[in-house]
Amino acid sequence: MTYTYHYDSPLGGITLSSNGAELTGLWFDGQKYFGDTLTNAHTETYLPVFAQAIRWLDIYFSGKAPDFTPPLCMETTPFRKAVWEIMLTIPFGQTMTYGQIAERMAKQKGLPKMSAQAVGNAVGHNSISLIIPCHRVVGANGSLTGYAGGIDKKARLLALEKADMTTLFVPKKGTAL
């Protein structure tokens, strides 16, 4: 069974999902790929894992780095899961490029290189946004590209974290918007 709960954040509504024990999804309402791991049959209810996630979100939106992670269940492919696990290592207020993640993935797999575009696809399909911080992944040139919740939210989240925004920018054109 899949369970959901709604959270009102300063950046808009967020839908949480759970298998009953672990968080399986966290999406800004209406974002690209919204609810991509939700089953058709889900029940809205309040669970202990949602209480943990809400506590995490409350701390996060107060501008502080939460010192815990709610239990997560990454319902995805092994490749995406490996990318998401790397994203979990990006510290609050810092960023990493798609290329840096690709380099780390290549090293883990013993490959000479890995496609940054493949990494970008995995980052874009992150179904546990914020907690798995895909908003901290940026283009090699500092562009704020590819955030399923919207580039404006990505910029606001990084500003909330007091990330160094001096080298980051919103692209004026392109497919990453």
Side-chain angles (χ1 to χ4, degrees):
M1 177 62 122
T2 301
Y3 304 94
T4 59
Y5 193 77
H6 194 263
Y7 174 83
D8 291 316
S9 86
L11 299 183
I14 290 175
T15 297
L16 306 163
S17 70
S18 172
N19 59 13
E22 301 154 308
L23 200 63
T24 57
L26 189 157
W27 305 271
F28 281 104
D29 293 346
Q31 79 172 50
K32 190 175 184 180
Y33 310 120
F34 175 86
D36 61 349
T37 59
L38 281 177
T39 60
N40 287 337
H42 55 273
T43 302
E44 183 156 345
T45 190
Y46 190 74
L47 300 170
V49 69
F50 292 145
Q52 291 176 54
I54 289 167
R55 190 168 138 252
W56 190 99
L57 289 164
D58 287 345
I59 293 167
Y60 178 83
F61 283 115
S62 77
K64 298 177 185 142
D67 62 355
F68 70 98
T69 301
L72 306 177
C73 178
M74 298 178 211
E75 298 175 338
T76 191
T77 67
F79 178 79
R80 286 181 182 173
K81 184 176 181 179
V83 170
W84 298 358
E85 287 173 344
I86 290 171
M87 286 192 292
L88 280 167
T89 70
I90 305 171
F92 184 89
Q94 295 183 30
T95 61
M96 182 179 278
T97 68
Y98 295 94
Q100 289 171 320
I101 293 174
E103 287 174 15
R104 198 179 287 184
M105 287 287 296
K107 185 181 260 186
Q108 285 177 3
K109 294 185 173 292
L111 300 171
K113 64 181 188 171
M114 171 78 55
S115 164
Q117 290 161 325
V119 166
N121 183 278
V123 171
H125 283 85
N126 171 20
S127 58
I128 309 175
S129 295
L130 295 175
I131 294 174
I132 300 176
C134 49
H135 62 280
R136 296 181 190 148
V137 183
V138 299
N141 63 355
S143 74
L144 300 179
T145 62
Y147 189 60
I151 300 297
D152 60 324
K153 280 188 178 77
K154 184 172 190 163
R156 290 178 66 189
L157 293 168
L158 290 170
L160 173 84
E161 294 182 19
K162 296 178 180 55
D164 180 2
M165 302 292 282
T166 59
T167 60
L168 305 176
F169 67 96
V170 175
K172 300 286 186 228
K173 61 182 181 174
T175 58
L177 299 174

